[in-house]
Amino acid sequence: MAGMVQEEGSSSVTSPHLFFPWMQLSPGIGSPYPWLRELKSEERGLCLIHLLLACANHVAVGSVENANISLEHISHLASPDGDTMQRIAAYFTAALADRILKGWPGLHKALNPKQVSLISEEIVVQRLFFELCPFLKLSYVITNEAIIESMEGEKMVHIIDLNSSEPAQWINLLQTLSARPEGPPHLRITGIHEKKEVLGQMALRLTEEAEKLDIPFQFNPIVSKLENLDLGNLRVKTGEALAVSSVLQLHALLAMDDEMHKRNSPSGSKNPSSNHFQRVLRMNQNRHTLGEWLEKDLVNVYSSSPDSALSPLSLSASPKMSSFLNALRSLSPKLMVITEQESNHNEFTLMERVTKALNFYAALFDCLESTVSRASLERHKVEKMLFGEEIKNIIACEGTERKERHEKLEKWILRLELAGFGSIPLSYHGRLQANRLLQSYGYDGYKIKEENGCLLICWQDRPLFSVSAWRFKRYD
């Protein structure tokens, strides 16, 4: 199949019945249902992990027949309505199957006809994520506190919102500014979004709130994708104190640099996933619970070299990102606050992306499992239309089509420093505000951790999102 090469010796990657010898994995011998009824949730979860890794390995080396068999077995266990691991498996198998189908473009297009995405659906699912999980609320609170502190005493404030779709963040800021002892500043928000209708709703809601609070306010809408943004349209005026807010946006720019990454990578290098998988199979299965596997071995076994990943050379090979950050820096922002997913889903090999995505999304699905009923339609929409689509993009897509290129805070720190930004430690008060929000909503299991002056938003002890603050070095 085009783009997929059968790696020598890949047939030695054995199926997960080494872990579960009582499983019948031959299509013509017996039925899976008798032993399915015997499985406990933890056993089923472990079984699904091993099946998913086996399937991903088959997909990675181009063994479509074996991948198909794995997908068939997973289908007996996975369910978008089941427990956490069953739900995750349902979306990962859909992503792996989609990647296989892309080997036959005609078949893939016939089964996935282009559909006009409804703006209302996109807004609804983003709003549901905002309501069901605290991550965006926490990001907004921390960002707004940093803006309030950095803009103290300023009479003209200009905020550039790189994804202007949620009015709640700026309504909260307007309310806080209205109570400022010296009075509110003149506030101008430049909102960037690819949908004109979204910006229209933002303008309406924010203008209404500003009038109610008697705050001088302007909203400047810019209809554009981030990668096509002309910074000349931002119209930064002399005397304005500038702040930039980026919530889960910058990583998508890395997709534009994919071709250069390919040119700089050794061509024809063998996929290391087969050797890694053998290490998985040699592990003592009796030692692992589902949680232990996802938190430790799943990441450690497939982790790439941290030295090469964090080298300035690898970061400098991102001209689109570098030019965008340099353009922002040329605007001399007093503050830039960045929220990003705290995981490395921009790895070169499929197996690395699969294993790290499993770890990351297991935690996100677990968040919903802990607070929302399994029968909830709202939960199903978030898992399918948001998490599921992100998983599919990470696993099934390549090149400029793969937008979900999440990277960890350590990479963003190096990248921003190379672009000439200086770090601003987020204040204790910002962290306090975030913790108060968690308490007021009764969010159990979530934590805020400080790291190098930045804040990590965690589920239990697993960091899922990072928030960092930066400024043009002239302000140092």
Side-chain angles (χ1 to χ4, degrees):
M1 191 166 65
M4 291 187 177
V5 179
Q6 178 70 38
E7 188 176 59
E8 184 178 344
S10 63
S11 61
S12 64
V13 179
T14 51
S15 63
H17 74 276
L18 284 183
F19 285 97
F20 304 96
W22 32 266
M23 289 172 60
Q24 289 286 0
L25 292 183
S26 299
I29 305 176
S31 166
Y33 292 103
W35 58 263
L36 276 178
R37 287 192 290 268
E38 303 296 325
L39 280 179
K40 296 177 181 177
S41 177
E42 193 80 3
E43 293 172 335
R44 183 176 58 227
L46 282 169
C47 180
L48 278 168
I49 291 170
H50 295 305
L51 283 167
L52 283 170
L53 291 176
C55 183
N57 187 76
H58 293 318
V59 173
V61 299
S63 180
V64 178
E65 184 177 353
N66 285 332
N68 179 60
I69 293 171
S70 294
L71 288 170
E72 182 181 357
H73 297 318
I74 295 170
S75 70
H76 294 301
L77 291 166
S79 168
D81 303 312
D83 61 25
T84 298
M85 197 60 224
Q86 286 179 299
R87 289 170 181 245
I88 294 167
Y91 294 109
F92 271 81
T93 51
L96 288 166
D98 193 63
R99 186 181 178 95
I100 294 171
L101 277 177
K102 285 187 175 183
W104 292 275
L107 181 60
H108 184 267
K109 289 176 183 177
L111 292 174
N112 297 275
K114 283 189 176 181
Q115 297 179 350
V116 178
S117 61
L118 297 176
I119 298 169
S120 58
E121 288 184 356
E122 295 177 10
I123 297 301
V124 164
V125 74
Q126 288 288 345
R127 185 70 194 181
L128 287 174
F129 179 55
F130 173 81
E131 292 174 351
L132 296 180
C133 300
F135 302 113
L136 291 180
K137 295 188 189 78
L138 291 166
S139 170
Y140 296 159
V141 164
I142 295 166
T143 298
N144 286 358
E145 182 57 33
I147 291 173
I148 293 295
E149 292 174 6
S150 69
M151 299 300 171
E152 185 176 355
E154 297 287 355
K155 298 188 182 302
M156 296 178 65
V157 175
H158 183 183
I159 298 172
I160 297 172
D161 183 359
L162 297 185
N163 182 41
S164 197
S165 60
E166 177 50 67
Q169 176 179 9
W170 306 125
I171 288 175
N172 173 264
L173 182 71
L174 285 165
Q175 293 170 348
T176 306
L177 288 173
S178 70
R180 204 168 71 159
E182 66 269 33
H186 181 283
L187 178 63
R188 189 154 69 100
I189 294 179
T190 294
I192 300 159
H193 199 277
E194 61 181 291
K195 304 290 187 182
K196 183 179 179 179
E197 297 88 335
V198 174
L199 292 171
Q201 288 296 315
M202 286 287 291
L204 181 64
R205 288 285 289 111
L206 296 181
T207 301
E208 286 177 351
E209 189 68 22
E211 288 176 354
K212 186 168 65 176
L213 297 169
D214 196 24
I215 294 177
F217 176 75
Q218 284 180 283
F219 186 82
N220 176 35
I222 296 181
V223 181
S224 174
K225 291 184 177 181
L226 199 58
E227 60 263 30
N228 300 327
L229 178 64
D230 181 358
L231 269 68
N233 293 332
L234 298 179
R235 290 183 269 171
V236 178
K237 300 176 182 177
T238 303
E240 287 182 329
L242 180 66
V244 180
S245 171
S246 174
V247 179
L248 310 181
Q249 294 304 302
L250 288 184
H251 63 260
L253 292 176
L254 294 169
M256 307 304 293
D257 297 320
D258 186 73
E259 291 306 315
M260 176 165 286
H261 282 303
K262 285 182 180 178
R263 289 196 295 268
N264 291 339
S265 299
S267 60
S269 60
K270 285 194 174 183
N271 190 330
S273 57
S274 179
N275 290 335
H276 287 320
F277 196 79
Q278 295 303 323
R279 290 170 60 192
V280 175
L281 294 177
R282 286 196 295 267
M283 287 180 173
N284 179 359
Q285 76 253 35
N286 295 326
R287 182 173 60 84
H288 295 292
T289 66
L290 175 59
E292 288 172 341
W293 180 268
L294 288 172
E295 286 297 322
K296 298 177 184 177
D297 298 313
L298 189 59
V299 175
N300 295 337
V301 169
Y302 289 95
S303 61
S304 57
S305 168
D307 295 332
S308 61
L310 291 176
S311 69
L313 182 62
S314 68
L315 294 174
S316 64
S318 302
K320 180 64 178 181
M321 178 65 74
S322 298
S323 64
F324 185 82
L325 292 177
N326 287 332
L328 285 180
R329 178 176 164 273
S330 70
L331 300 175
S332 303
K334 192 171 185 181
L335 176 72
M336 180 164 70
V337 186
I338 298 171
T339 301
E340 282 291 335
Q341 289 88 343
E342 183 61 7
S343 191
N344 284 325
H345 299 148
N346 195 23
E347 303 290 0
F348 182 71
T349 70
L350 174 64
M351 287 303 294
E352 287 175 322
R353 297 207 302 268
V354 168
T355 53
K356 291 179 180 180
L358 265 175
N359 191 4
F360 180 80
Y361 286 98
L364 281 179
F365 275 74
D366 196 40
C367 294
L368 292 176
E369 177 77 5
S370 70
T371 56
V372 187
S373 164
R374 291 181 182 177
S376 165
L377 181 61
E378 291 79 9
R379 173 181 172 180
H380 180 72
K381 284 183 177 180
V382 170
E383 290 176 341
K384 180 181 180 180
M385 298 171 65
L386 184 60
F387 299 164
E389 288 303 308
E390 288 180 359
I391 290 166
K392 183 181 291 185
N393 189 266
I394 291 166
I395 292 172
C397 298
E398 295 295 349
T400 56
E401 188 184 13
R402 181 159 59 88
K403 302 290 187 182
E404 302 299 335
R405 295 173 178 261
H406 312 146
E407 294 190 341
K408 284 196 170 186
L409 177 62
E410 54 196 1
K411 282 192 178 181
W412 289 110
I413 289 174
L414 284 177
R415 184 175 282 119
L416 286 154
E417 287 176 345
L418 284 171
F421 285 91
S423 177
I424 303 175
L426 290 164
S427 71
Y428 171 77
H429 191 60
R431 183 176 177 181
L432 186 64
Q433 293 280 81
N435 282 318
R436 283 176 177 169
L437 184 146
L438 289 176
Q439 292 173 1
S440 66
Y441 280 89
Y443 286 120
D444 295 326
Y446 296 90
K447 299 178 182 178
I448 308 294
K449 292 183 179 180
E450 188 275 336
E451 183 176 298
N452 298 321
C454 309
L455 295 181
L456 298 176
I457 305 172
C458 308
W459 168 246
Q460 305 300 347
D461 291 317
R462 173 44 164 110
L464 293 177
F465 297 89
S466 67
V467 186
S468 59
W470 303 85
R471 59 185 168 186
F472 177 47
K473 284 187 176 178
R474 190 185 72 189
Y475 286 96
D476 284 349

